[in-house]
Structure formats: C-alpha cells, structure tokens
C-alpha cells in the first residue's frame, strides 16, 4: 500500500474547441484551448500514475506509469515549445513551456528518487520519514509550477478580453487530485505513528528466536517506549473528515497490543529465558503459550490494520478512469 501524489492543474477551458493547426490560430480562445488540451493529456497520464501508486505495491508497474507520464510530458513540451506566440504575446506560451520543462524534471528526477526509496523505505522510521518528505517536496514544486501557469493564463485572458471558465471534466479531475492530497496527508500521519513500533518489535522476535535474554529485554524496553510515542501521536489524530476513524483505530489497536505485551507478557518471557537451560515442562508450556498468544493476536491485528488501510484508500481514492 503506497501513495505518490502529484498535483497538476486540471486546466481552465473556454467553451470553444478547435481543429486548427497550432501555427494557424487566429483567435485567443482556440490558442488557449490548444495549450490546455496538452495539459489535459498530461494530467490524465498523471492521474493514471497516481491511481497505480495508490492501489498497487508493484514497483515495476508504478514506474511504467511514471515512464508513460514522462513520454507524454516530453510530447506536450515539444508541441508547445514549437507553438508561435499569439500576437506577440509570449507570456502564456513561454510560462507553460518552462512549467512543462520543470514538470519533466520532477517526474524524471524527484519521483524517480521517491520510487527508488520505496524499495528500502521500510528499513527504519527515518527512511519512511524521508520517503514521505521527498513526496512532499515534489508536491510543493508541482504546486509552484501549477500556480505559475494559472497566473500566466489569467494574464493572457485579461489581455485578450477572454472569460475563463472551468469545464465539468476539469472539475472532476481537480477533485480527484484534491482527494489524493487529502488522503495522503492523513494516511502519512497514521502510518508513521504505527510504524514506530516496527523496528523494536522485529528486534524482539529476533532475540526470541536466538533465545538471547539480554537482547530480548533491550528490545522490550525499546518497544515500551516506542509504543508510548506511537500512542501519543495516534491519540492526536482526529477521525478522517471528522467521522471515519477505522484506519486510525486499527493502528491504535495494533499499537495497544504491542504496548500491553511488552509491559505484561514479555517480562515473564524474559524471566523464563534467563533459566532456559533448566526449563521444566510447566515452563515450556507457559513459554509456548506466550508465543502462541503473541502470534495469534499479532496476525489478527496486523491483518485488520492492513485491511483498514486498503479500505481507506479504496474508499477515498477511487481507481482513475478516463
């Protein structure tokens, strides 16, 4: 489960359409629509990438969508770069050309870095934080680019006495992007809070497999501390849109289990590990009982948490359809 968010203007359209060649434009509406049509083509590739990122963990398929987006951006950039200025008004065309060039860099460089980090992001909390930070940096660049094109279009419209209005398709695409951004922001907070317990819990099970009592105790203490931090962070997160708390609560339930296990059952396991060479049958039964309880609860709650995350994305980021 992963999300990569890209923000690109849905575009503002006039009511007119045109089939004229770029070099034959004689009215500002047709000129504007030609540029916006290229933005729209890019936007749809963009949203296919977003949708695949949100609904798939297959890094190859996600990168294939990114490559499709790059190709479309290159194609649109080439078309608009060759477009003559309209009545010597270079601002809209030049700003859009520069914006497409900057977008190409974001797709080619920034999001390549994001997708490459995806393969190692689960190693530590720090890697996961860096993964999300790279997304946010790329998104910020996208917003700056988006604003610059909007401003250039507004100046073009004013100079040529045009009225700009958003069409229904543009509104639909813009709404999709707003949903993605909103869901990502919320999901990042929940995921990072829960993710804090992952490293200590892995160390705990590794120490248990090695029957290393000292390492087990160190991991247990770290897990107690990390669970406290995660609990505090999750408590501060309100239900999504003020009403949907299922994803957050599933994370809280998982963290709560780890916290309780580290505080209650794990200390008893440490005592048993200390005398593992002199286990009685009663000791072995008790120890195995703790392991069985841990495995059953962990599997149940982790599965519920993962399913809640998938349900959350499915509910608020629908699969993009042209």
């Amino acid at each position: 489960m992963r999300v990569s968010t890209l923000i690109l203007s849905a575009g503002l359209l006039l009511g007119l359409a045109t089939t004229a060649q770029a070099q034959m434009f004689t009215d500002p509406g047709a000129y504007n629509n030609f540029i916006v049509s290229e933005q729209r083509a890019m936007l749809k590739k963009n949203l296919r990438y977003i949708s695949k990122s949100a609904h798939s963990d297959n890094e190859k398929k996600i990168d294939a969508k990114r490559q499709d987006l790059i190709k479309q951006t290159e194609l649109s950039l080439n078309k608009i770069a060759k477009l003559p200025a309209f009545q010597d008004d270079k601002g809209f065309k030049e700003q859009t050309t520069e914006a497409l060039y900057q977008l190409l860099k974001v797709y080619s460089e920034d999001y390549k870095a994001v997708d490459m980090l995806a393969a190692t992001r689960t190693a530590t909390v720090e890697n996961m934080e860096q993964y999300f930070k790279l997304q946010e940096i790329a998104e910020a660049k996208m917003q700056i680019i988006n604003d610059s094109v909007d401003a250039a279009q507004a100046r073009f419209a004013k100079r040529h006495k045009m009225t700009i209005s958003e069409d229904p398709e543009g509104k639909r695409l813009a709404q999709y992007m707003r949903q993605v951004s909103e869901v990502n922001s919320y999901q990042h907070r929940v995921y990072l809070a829960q993710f804090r317990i992952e490293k200590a819990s892995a160390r705990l099970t590794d120490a248990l497999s090695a029957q290393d009592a000292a390492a087990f105790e160190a991991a247990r203490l770290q897990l107690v501390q990390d669970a406290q931090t995660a609990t505090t962070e999750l408590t501060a997160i309100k239900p999504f849109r003020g009403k949907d708390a299922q994803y957050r609560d599933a994370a809280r339930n998982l963290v709560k289990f780890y916290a309780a296990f580290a505080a209650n059952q794990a200390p008893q396991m440490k005592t048993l590990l200390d005398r593992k060479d002199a286990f009685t049958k009663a000791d072995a039964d008790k120890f195995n009982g703790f392991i069985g309880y841990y495995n059953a609860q962990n599997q149940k709650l982790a599965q519920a948490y993962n399913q809640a995350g998938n349900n959350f994305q499915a509910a608020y980021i629908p699969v993009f359809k042209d």
Side-chain angles (χ1 to χ4, degrees):
M1 180 178 62
R2 62 188 292 275
V3 179
S4 294
T5 309
L6 296 135
I7 304 300
L8 176 66
S9 174
L12 299 174
L13 287 177
L14 298 176
L16 300 174
T18 180
T19 58
Q21 296 297 316
Q23 63 270 25
M24 297 175 61
F25 288 135
T26 58
D27 70 276
Y31 188 86
N32 174 80
N33 283 4
F34 177 83
I35 292 177
V36 171
S37 70
E38 292 304 318
Q39 290 179 299
R40 183 62 52 80
M42 287 174 53
L43 178 59
K44 289 185 175 181
K45 293 286 187 180
N46 183 359
L47 296 183
R48 291 190 193 106
Y49 173 45
I50 290 174
S51 182
K52 180 59 68 174
S53 296
H55 294 279
S56 174
D57 283 316
N58 188 315
E59 304 299 338
K60 289 185 179 180
K61 289 184 178 180
I62 292 169
D63 192 61
K65 293 299 183 184
R66 185 178 67 85
Q67 294 296 338
D68 284 346
L69 177 55
I70 288 173
K71 290 177 183 178
Q72 181 61 58
T73 306
E74 290 173 338
L75 179 62
S76 295
L77 175 60
N78 184 56
K79 287 183 179 180
I80 295 178
K82 292 179 178 179
L83 185 68
F86 184 81
Q87 296 180 0
D88 294 326
D89 187 343
K90 299 180 180 179
F92 186 24
K93 180 253 186 178
E94 290 185 351
Q95 187 60 55
T96 303
T97 301
E98 175 62 20
L100 296 186
Y101 174 71
Q102 293 300 326
L103 288 173
L104 188 60
K105 289 182 63 177
V106 171
Y107 298 143
S108 301
E109 299 172 11
D110 292 29
Y111 270 88
K112 181 179 180 180
V114 169
D115 287 344
M116 287 178 64
L117 183 59
T120 60
R121 66 186 187 274
T122 56
T124 64
V125 173
E126 291 75 21
N127 275 11
M128 181 57 74
E129 288 177 327
Q130 183 186 6
Y131 173 69
F132 289 150
K133 184 176 181 180
L134 282 176
Q135 286 189 346
E136 291 164 3
I137 289 172
E139 288 169 13
K141 289 181 180 180
M142 300 288 279
Q143 187 59 57
I144 292 171
I145 293 167
N146 174 57
D147 291 345
S148 70
V149 173
D150 285 350
Q153 186 183 41
R155 289 192 295 270
F156 181 83
K158 182 177 181 179
R159 180 174 178 180
H160 298 284
K161 298 180 174 57
M162 295 190 304
T163 299
I164 301 292
S165 61
E166 191 173 48
D167 72 320
E169 176 69 359
K171 291 178 67 176
R172 181 181 75 87
L173 299 178
Q175 176 60 27
Y176 185 96
M177 289 186 293
R178 283 193 292 269
Q179 284 181 269
V180 171
S181 182
E182 180 189 20
V183 170
N184 273 7
S185 178
Y186 187 86
Q187 192 165 39
H188 288 180
R189 292 180 64 202
V190 174
Y191 191 97
L192 277 176
Q194 181 278 331
F195 191 73
R196 293 193 181 280
I197 66 174
E198 295 292 331
K199 189 172 183 179
S201 64
R203 288 175 57 195
L204 190 77
T205 55
D206 288 345
L208 182 60
S209 297
Q211 296 185 16
D212 186 333
F216 184 86
E217 178 63 7
R220 183 190 75 82
L221 293 174
Q222 185 64 54
L223 185 55
V224 169
Q225 179 179 327
D226 290 348
Q228 289 175 343
T229 301
T231 298
T232 299
E233 291 175 345
L234 287 168
T235 299
I237 299 174
K238 304 299 182 183
F240 186 67
R241 294 180 180 171
K243 59 182 180 180
D244 190 342
Q246 292 186 39
Y247 179 50
R248 182 206 64 185
D249 288 350
R252 289 174 68 176
N253 290 339
L254 184 57
V255 170
K256 183 178 179 180
F257 161 69
Y258 277 108
F261 187 87
N264 300 318
Q265 287 84 9
Q268 298 179 62
M269 296 179 74
K270 164 61 168 58
T271 300
L272 291 169
L273 278 173
D274 284 335
R275 62 171 191 266
K276 65 180 184 294
D277 294 332
F279 257 26
T280 65
K281 183 178 184 305
D283 289 336
D285 289 344
K286 187 175 183 179
F287 194 79
N288 289 333
F290 287 139
I291 293 175
Y293 169 76
Y294 176 89
N295 288 338
Q297 290 297 108
N298 182 57
Q299 182 179 7
K300 181 180 74 172
L301 293 170
Q303 183 176 353
Y305 167 68
N306 290 332
Q307 187 60 54
N310 290 334
N311 292 344
F312 182 72
Q313 287 191 327
Y316 298 106
I317 303 181
V319 175
F320 177 70
K321 297 179 181 179
D322 290 28

